[in-house]
Amino acid sequence: GSLYFYKDYPDKKIRVIGLNSLDIPYTLTNSDGSSKYTRWLDYSYSQAQFDWLTNVALVMPEGYSFVIFTHVPLIYGYTPAPTAHWYNSDILEHVINAAASGTSVSASSSADVPSDVAVSVNANFSSQGTRNCIGLWGGHVHIENITKLDHFTQVLFLADVNANSANIGTTNELGLTVAEVDTGNKSVSLKGLGRATNRSYLY
């Protein structure tokens, strides 16, 4: 009943977590009947999603590593559109850092976040201990970028959107990436097809 989920790969001890970065109250309207929030301008994670993330998805067996997929990434490596709103992405960053480092997090939405989408998170991962975060992987802005953050790496992908007509009918019309994770060496190899390039990083 949601657009967020996780899937375990026990043989590799990897948990893949998918988040819904457009988790906003679509049913709310303005006085003229128009949508108060739109999926192309308003991005957020709801209280219910944060509760699930901290109490379910990020509670994992010993020895597991995790990788998070989300459409709209954290604001690193690009300049956001001035008309768009990124709500609660800072809290997501705090939560990932806490889960990876085995510490606690207590955070609430900033004062400029509308009450409709405001959240409050309190979670403690100290009894679980550290868990390697393979990365936070996102698209949306359709660029390639790798940003090292406190306890994880954010990776941006082209996501196959072609904006150059000269690429039509050629391999470069594609911008796909295959990711290979080596948990033993804590490394990620990104193999590009078409416009996508080969990249790698350590986590």
Side-chain angles (χ1 to χ4, degrees), residues 158-162 167 170-176 193-196:
L158 290 177
D160 208 30
V161 170
N162 172 51
N167 291 330
T170 73
T171 302
N172 281 344
E173 188 173 357
L174 302 173
L176 303 176
L193 172 66
R195 307 188 308 286

Side-chain angles (χ1 to χ4, degrees), residues 28-174:
L28 297 181
T29 58
N30 297 310
S31 58
D32 62 358
S34 61
S35 296
K36 188 172 182 180
Y37 301 100
T38 62
R39 70 171 182 83
W40 57 89
L41 290 178
D42 300 294
Y43 319 125
S44 188
Y45 300 91
S46 68
Q47 183 67 57
Q49 186 169 186
F50 273 117
D51 291 344
W52 170 84
L53 180 62
T54 56
N55 296 313
V56 179
L58 288 175
V59 178
M60 63 195 82
E62 186 175 355
Y64 264 63
S65 302
F66 67 97
V67 58
I68 293 179
F69 290 80
T70 189
H71 179 80
V72 182
L74 305 177
I75 306 174
Y76 292 102
Y78 65 96
T79 301
T83 54
H85 304 97
W86 268 255
Y87 301 127
N88 302 319
S89 61
D90 55 335
I91 296 179
L92 175 61
E93 182 176 353
H94 295 323
V95 168
I96 298 173
N97 279 327
S101 60
T103 57
S104 61
V105 57
S106 180
S108 297
S109 300
S110 57
D112 60 340
V113 173
S115 59
D116 298 323
V117 294
V119 301
S120 179
V121 173
N122 288 281
N124 192 336
F125 300 98
S126 58
S127 61
Q128 174 171 275
T130 60
R131 295 290 186 270
N132 290 316
C133 181
I134 297 166
L136 173 65
W137 296 351
H140 186 69
V141 290
H142 305 291
I143 63 172
E144 291 187 333
N145 181 269
I146 296 177
T147 303
K148 292 282 187 181
L149 300 172
D150 287 346
H151 294 282
F152 66 97
T153 299
Q154 175 170 278
V155 183
L156 305 185
F157 296 86
L158 290 177
D160 208 30
V161 170
N162 172 51
N164 185 348
S165 59
N167 291 330
I168 295 176
T170 73
T171 302
N172 281 344
E173 188 173 357
L174 302 173

